Amino acid sequence: FGLCAAALFSLVAREHGRTAGVLAALALITLPRLFGHAHLAATDFPLAAGWLLSTQAWIRAADSKGWALALVPIALAGMMALGKISRWKPPW
């Protein structure tokens, strides 16, 4: 939950300023349903944090080769998580 809030702050602060980043993170933290689910052993927030981090890496990859290289393992980790959690089974 904290990683998700930090990733949201980082993404919004880069694009719209530090005040907007703080307000976005506070808005996420103070949502009652999300705050309640954050205390359950669920995969929602680790996946949400991964989505925010991969979005941030995707945006920054246009400007930096380092972020472009970092995007590859982030994308692979996301695909592995999707394959682990997905209930879809191939027809064969």
Side-chain angles (χ1 to χ4, degrees):
F1 185 61
L3 180 63
C4 188
L8 181 62
F9 166 78
S10 177
L11 182 64
V12 173
R14 176 177 162 83
E15 297 295 322
H16 302 288
R18 188 177 185 137
T19 304
V22 169
L23 290 175
L26 283 175
L28 178 73
I29 291 170
T30 57
L31 288 171
R33 182 178 293 250
L34 295 180
F35 186 76
H37 281 285
H39 293 86
L40 300 173
T43 58
D44 295 345
F45 278 103
L47 287 176
W51 292 335
L52 285 170
L53 289 172
S54 63
T55 301
Q56 185 173 16
W58 182 266
I59 291 170
R60 291 187 177 184
D63 300 330
S64 168
K65 287 185 181 181
W67 277 101
L69 292 175
L71 184 61
V72 173
I74 291 172
L76 290 176
M79 286 186 277
M80 287 187 295
L82 179 63
K84 176 77 175 167
I85 293 171
S86 175
R87 293 180 183 229
W88 180 81
K89 294 189 176 163
W92 53 88

